[in-house]
Amino acid sequence: MQQELETREAQLSQVISSLNLEGPVADSLRGKVEDLVDDKNRQIRESQYEIARLKKANNDIIHTYQSKLKDFGIPVEELGFKPLVFNEDGLTTMPAGLVTMNT
């Protein structure tokens, strides 16, 4: 990751030097780019948190639903679909885009 950061800083320096920018203008441009990158990184972290929260909520709903089915004596297999549950890594074995699998 440190290597990527150094590479991007070198690329930014090359762009600034090719535009013949120096002094306060170059510093301002660097600052704006750094602010933009920081903002994008914050958005990525927020999105990752939201995805984790939604996966947890999905699993909680499925477990509650299955528990209620059991309370009423209804086997999950009789529903005609298999609920999508995420594992510890946040992954599923279902094909992309599917929420349920018809049986």
Side-chain angles (χ1 to χ4, degrees):
M1 186 163 181
Q2 182 65 27
Q3 179 65 29
E4 284 183 37
L5 178 61
E6 290 173 3
T7 301
R8 294 196 190 282
E9 286 178 359
Q11 290 171 341
L12 178 59
S13 293
Q14 288 175 348
V15 168
I16 290 172
S17 67
S18 70
L19 295 173
N20 295 324
L21 299 176
E22 294 181 6
V25 174
D27 293 339
S28 175
L29 183 58
R30 276 192 188 92
K32 287 180 182 181
V33 169
E34 287 174 6
D35 290 345
L36 180 63
V37 169
D38 290 343
D39 185 52
K40 294 299 180 185
N41 286 335
R42 180 190 53 76
Q43 290 175 5
I44 290 168
R45 285 190 303 276
E46 288 174 359
S47 295
Q48 289 170 333
Y49 173 79
E50 184 68 9
I51 289 168
R53 189 187 69 75
L54 292 171
K55 286 178 180 178
K56 168 92 170 77
N58 176 74
N59 288 348
D60 290 349
I61 289 169
I62 289 171
H63 293 302
T64 300
Y65 182 68
Q66 290 173 338
S67 176
K68 289 298 178 185
L69 288 174
K70 185 178 179 181
D71 289 348
F72 291 111
I74 303 170
V76 175
E77 297 80 30
E78 287 186 12
L79 294 177
F81 65 91
K82 182 179 178 183
L84 177 64
V85 179
F86 294 94
N87 65 19
E88 294 293 320
D89 297 329
L91 304 173
T92 181
T93 58
M94 299 288 211
L98 291 182
V99 177
T100 63
M101 183 175 74
N102 294 331
T103 55

